[in-house]
Amino acid sequence: MKHRNVTTSLGCLLIAGLFSTAAWAIDPPQRELSRFAMKTNYLQEANEGLYELAFDNTSHRLYAAVTDRMNREANKGFLYAFNPASLSTESRVTMPYRAFSLAMNQQQHQLYVGHTQSASLRISIVDTLTGKLTKTSDKLSFKVANAADARFEHLRHMVYNSPTNTLFVSYSNMQKTADGMTALHKLLMLDGTTLARKGEVKGAYSGTAYGLTQDEKTQKIYVGGKDYINEIDAKKQTVLRTIRLKDPQPQIASVQNLAVDSDSNRAFVVVFDHEDRRGQQDGLYVFDLRNGQQLGYVHTGAGTNAVKYNPKYNEIYVTNFTSGTLSVIDATTYAITREFNAPVYPNQMVLSPDLDTLYVGVKEGFNRDWDPDVYVEGAKERILRIDLTRS
């Protein structure tokens, strides 16, 4: 009996030794070859919501507009400053209202912060050298005939034009008409130093339009609508021309954002169908800026929300808000070359001035009723840093 026990024990030791040797002999899986390297950091509080990003070229700092997404009545906001390399938080400045949009005045070291909520409707200036809030505008509200409700008033994206020292701000509202509710949009102009209202660009919008961008090379401003792109002369403050988007396929439901490459005469438009969250026709549309002809379409995912063009790598980056992905697209073939999973909601982006780094704001489902499938109590929103140059 004892002999059998000894034999059994020896056999078990031998087998265990074989498994141990085999385990040590297994090589780790081969790492996927990629030039991309990622890093992340989180906001301080779970109740904070991350919106637009901006890069300060002088101080070499990444800014993020943040709002208290849980306590809306408090109308509270923050401006985060991150180290662009490590993503460590360098400062967190309390803003007078909820912070949503950002625009940089690089020459004067000023950061414009848009307070979008209807209770705010103001713009603030932060000195990026001192980190101090220096000025907040008067309320940018309008007496609109047959306005539906003051709660529909919003300030959205902004661009700063240096030659004219003008901040262009998109404003939206809703009106009651005989045909029902109609969207009202204005492109406001503010003095870049005093934040005094200078008026608006007449005819900037001929219908619903959320996309707003500026071509730094030509200093032209572009507004993207459902079936048009308006090209605006920032100096003359007039619409130069309307580029009709000729019968795009698939049909465009709602233009969300756009980017422009004047060297190739192309507009990159992302479409987000807010009525059908399956996003079967969402994606990237490419148009010829000269005549509005469609050059391409890429179904990147559901809820395509933001777009950036990178001429250094000839790539287009698209965040797919609902799908929780970020698409990298070859700007010549329009083929998707890489897709990142960035749950839950990848949102706004900014490129570093050398075009070697992409920063993406990633949002979380903060409401159990609205986002039951992705809601995680205590989840914090974050910044994703993607190095475009190395593996």
Side-chain angles (χ1 to χ4, degrees), residues 84-103:
S86 67
L87 288 188
S88 60
T89 303
E90 295 187 345
S91 65
R92 176 177 175 266
V93 178
T94 300
M95 301 303 294
Y97 306 99
R98 291 161 63 89
F100 172 76
S101 54
L102 297 177

Side-chain angles (χ1 to χ4, degrees), residues 10 45-46 49 52 90 118-119 161 168 172 179 232 254 313 319 365 378:
L10 288 171
E45 304 293 337
E52 292 196 358
E90 295 187 345
S118 56
N161 182 257
F168 292 84
S172 63
D179 298 324
I232 296 167
S254 173
Y313 295 97
T319 55

